[in-house]
Every structure is written in C-alpha cells, then in structure tokens.
Amino acid sequence: MQKVWITGRRRAAAKAGACLIAAFVLAVAGRGRASYGADSSVVESVTVTLKAAFGEPEEIPEPEITVSGKGCSLGDVQFRTDYDKWKPGKKVRVEITVNADEGKVFPTSLNRSQCKVSGADFVSAKALDDGTLQVKVDYKPITVLGDTSEAGWSSSRRRAVWKAVDYAPGYSLVLYGDNKVIKRLTVNGANSCNLTEYMDDVDKTYYYEVKAIPITSDEKKYLKEGAFITSSDQEFDADDWENWNNESSSAGGSASTSSSPGSGSQGPGGTGDGGAIRGNNYVLPDGRKAANTWKKVSNQWYYFDQNGNMARNWQNIGGFWYYMDGNGVMQTGWVNPSGDSWYYLNNNGDMCTGWIQPRQGEWYYLDASGCMQRYWVQVNGKWYFMNESGRMQTGWITVNEKNYYLHSDGSMAADTTVSGRILGADGAEIRQ
C-alpha cells in the first residue's frame, strides 16, 4: 500500500508540473504577441499627406497634415526649422507622430511603399514604441510671389529698373510703345533690363509691365507668379535720338555699328561680315577697321572704340558700364578688377546696381557705382546686414557682441519683441 501511495504522489506532482510548464509556455507566447502583435493587430500601412494652399502674396502658409490608415491616427507634429526662417523651396524637416489605436501595434519600421507620403519627400518611418510611429519628411514651403513696389528707368532712360521681389527667380516683362506690345521678355535673376534695341521710335511713348515669376519647372511647384505692375512712361525727343546716334555712329567711314552685345547673329570665328581680329583691331574684307561697334568672335564679345582699337578694362558704352579683360573679352557675372571691390555684370555684360539675386535665395546690394556692399547697409530707410562675402543675412545675427534680428526680407527689426527677446530702437537686443 505504501508503494502505491508514493506512485500516486509522483503522478500528481508530474501532472501539476506539466500544467505549470503549459501555463509558462502560454504566458511567453502571449508576451511575444504583445510585443510584436498578431497579424491582425499590426498596422501595416500608413498614408501621410501635407497640403498647403497658396495664400496672399508673400505669405508662407503652414501645411495641413493628415494621417490615414487602418488602426492609427495623427499625433504630435514638430517642425525642425523655426517658422520665421522658412523660405519657399527650402526644405523643412518635419517629424510627425502617428499613434496606434488600442490593441494595435507598429512594426519596427515602415519603408516608403508602406508609409506613403504626399506633398513632401519621405525620409524615414520608425517605431518609437509599440504604439507610436515617428515619420520624418522634408517639406518645401510655398508662396505667391509679391509685386514690385517700384518700376521705373535708369539714368540712361533706356534701361528698365524695378525693385527686386523677395524669392523671385526671374521676371516677365512686356514693353509697350503707344499702348501696343513691342517686346515680351523673360529676365532671369536681375531686376533690370536693357531695352535700347527695342526703343527705336522717337515719336512713341514707352512703358513696361513687369511681374515676378518662377522660371524652372521645379520652382513652379512652390512659387506662383505675382501680378503685373506698370512702370512710369518714358518719352524722348529729337535731341535724345541725335545724341544716342552720335554715340553709336561710325567714325571716319568705318564699319556700321551694332547697338549692344547680343544683337545680330554671329557664328564662331567671326561676325558673319567676313572680317576678323587682326592684332588690336577688327579688319573687314575691304581693309577698313570697325570702330564704335561690338563684334562677336568665337562666341565672345569685343568692343572697338572710335579709333578702331580693342577696348579693355571699364568702358561706358551707350550709357552702360562694361568690363573687358586684358584680352578685350567682355565679362559677365562677378568681377573683381582691383582685387578689393566686387561688381556684378548681367548676361549681356552691363554692370548692375541696387539689389541683385544671382542665385535663388542669395541677395546682394550694389551701390550706385556698382560696388558690392558688406556689413551694415541702409537702403530706402531700412537697415540690412551683409556678411563678409556680401550676402544678405536673415534671422538672428551677432555683430560686435550685440544681437540683432533681421526679417525674412533682410530688413532689421527694431522697437519690437521677437521670440520673447526685446529689441531697442537701434535694433540691438536689450539684455535683461
């Protein structure tokens, strides 16, 4: 009987142990499902949409962010760039939190096909924990380009000059003569345009319309063109025409002139008139020297003065300044002839003044002599700060141990509070 009793105890213990093991296995399996989720509880796809509507001119709206997917909803949104530093087309990193519904979990990460992003560029989608997914995207702010506040003429009266528009890659210009369209032009970057070759009738009254526009297909995704602004009228008299004709006329029976670089059609190796550069002159087939004229040779422009000699260094031609290098070749873009002063020349070679934007988002200011300005500059009653390279600054800057704040258009803030920091009448931060 004792033996049977012992055997019964062992069987009972074995049975109890088996039950404990089964319970442990079930518990482990259950914990595994809680961590990774059964197939029915995993959020397998998410769609994130960033949508912004073009608003008022120069307004940069924040995008409306929505999340769709089975078993999840939108959580917190963080923009990693301060709003006052947003610029159209410049990427802003956005961190979007997506929350799983009760009983749902996220996998460790989702790829771009599982996490579809609209209105921004997908960067990553990673789980912070079972119920939280962080989606990172790059968003490009949008805006409607503003209108120029001034549209007039240079001192030569044949060059259209208008005040630059923030963020404008280019401009559309329509020239009118006696209320009829004379020429339509697209101006890339610069806020001025030489119209000499189109204004050839002394009896007409000229004016132009100009508006800021995006140029490339990519720019058109985040920029919308502004509205046309009409310039002041420009009229001429017989004396004006006689003076200009004298400037461009040929001297001593020399060859006829061309009014400016870019006129005519010249191929490599010559201007199409059979002439060629000989030493310091341009000699035509009949032996005459071209004088007071532009000539394009091998896709490079040269100017020959009243004596037929190749021009070099700075030259004032037809009321505009040009710079020719030591070989007589007309220059474009940035030049620094003296080694300490920078100037900017348009694609047609004439020197710029005022505000210029050689590349999108990069603004420089050139004084009346064309010289690029650095450090503090006052323009139309507003102060701006240019760095050592001449580029206009925005946001918070420190100058001589004082802090200043520059608006998105570069103008200095004063007598106000920005992000809780008080600025005095001189623009410097008043430290508490």
Side-chain angles (χ1 to χ4, degrees), residues 175-248:
L175 175 66
Y176 294 84
D178 287 347
N179 296 318
K180 294 183 179 180
V181 175
I182 301 297
K183 186 68 177 179
R184 298 181 186 273
L185 298 164
T186 297
V187 183
N188 200 333
N191 59 316
S192 63
C193 183
N194 187 350
L195 300 176
T196 300
E197 61 183 299
Y198 312 114
M199 302 169 68
D200 57 1
D201 189 337
V202 70
D203 296 321
K204 288 182 178 179
T205 297
Y206 293 94
Y207 68 91
Y208 65 88
E209 292 181 335
V210 64
K211 66 178 177 181
I213 61 170
I215 300 294
T216 67
S217 57
D218 184 59
E219 290 166 351
K220 292 176 182 178
K221 295 177 182 177
Y222 56 84
L223 292 175
K224 197 171 183 179
E225 64 185 32
F228 273 119
I229 298 298
T230 303
S231 75
S232 55
D233 288 348
Q234 188 64 280
E235 296 180 340
F236 306 107
D237 55 33
D239 290 339
D240 292 323
W241 234 255
E242 183 177 354
N243 291 335
W244 293 332
N245 287 335
N246 286 338
E247 289 176 2
S248 61

Side-chain angles (χ1 to χ4, degrees), residues 76-148:
D76 187 37
V77 175
Q78 294 287 334
F79 296 98
R80 306 312 301 174
T81 301
D82 291 340
Y83 176 76
D84 56 11
K85 293 183 179 179
W86 284 23
K87 293 182 179 180
K90 185 176 181 180
K91 289 182 178 180
V92 174
R93 178 61 56 85
V94 189
E95 295 178 353
I96 303 165
T97 300
V98 182
N99 297 325
D101 294 346
E102 185 176 355
K104 299 287 186 179
V105 296
F106 289 111
T108 303
S109 64
L110 297 176
N111 58 35
R112 66 179 62 247
S113 63
Q114 296 168 314
C115 180
K116 297 179 180 178
V117 176
S118 175
D121 296 328
F122 174 87
V123 177
S124 65
K126 297 181 179 180
L128 300 179
D129 52 46
D130 285 349
T132 310
L133 181 74
Q134 185 184 68
V135 180
K136 294 182 179 181
V137 302
D138 283 336
Y139 169 73
K140 288 184 178 181
I142 65 174
T143 194
V144 177
L145 292 168
D147 305 333
T148 182

Side-chain angles (χ1 to χ4, degrees), residues 159 194 260-262 294 301 313-315 317 320-324 329-333 335 343-352:
R159 183 179 189 83
N194 187 350
S260 66
W294 289 98
W301 283 100
N313 302 317
W314 286 109
Q315 300 290 329
I317 303 169
F320 303 101
W321 283 100
Y322 301 84
Y323 185 77
M324 322 296 177
V329 177
M330 183 197 79
Q331 302 297 291
T332 61
V335 297
Y343 301 82
Y344 191 81
L345 311 173
N346 281 321
N347 290 337
N348 60 2
D350 56 318
M351 183 190 76
C352 293

Side-chain angles (χ1 to χ4, degrees), residues 404-425:
Y404 300 84
Y405 184 79
L406 308 173
H407 295 296
S408 60
D409 66 354
S411 61
M412 183 190 75
D415 271 337
T416 188
T417 300
V418 178
S419 300
R421 299 162 72 173
I422 302 173
L423 304 175

Side-chain angles (χ1 to χ4, degrees), residues 35 51 74 147 154 170 211 213 223 226 267 302 355 370 385 421:
S35 298
K51 185 178 181 180
L74 176 65
D147 305 333
S154 68
K211 66 178 177 181
I213 61 170
L223 292 175
Y302 301 80
W355 289 106
F385 189 82
R421 299 162 72 173

Side-chain angles (χ1 to χ4, degrees), residues 235-294:
E235 296 180 340
F236 306 107
D237 55 33
D239 290 339
D240 292 323
W241 234 255
E242 183 177 354
N243 291 335
W244 293 332
N245 287 335
N246 286 338
E247 289 176 2
S248 61
S249 63
S250 302
S254 59
S256 60
T257 68
S258 57
S259 61
S260 66
S263 61
S265 56
Q266 292 81 24
T271 64
D273 55 14
I277 293 178
R278 296 288 183 264
N280 202 41
N281 311 110
Y282 186 88
V283 181
L284 294 165
D286 60 5
R288 290 181 300 151
K289 295 179 181 178
N292 281 341
T293 186
W294 289 98

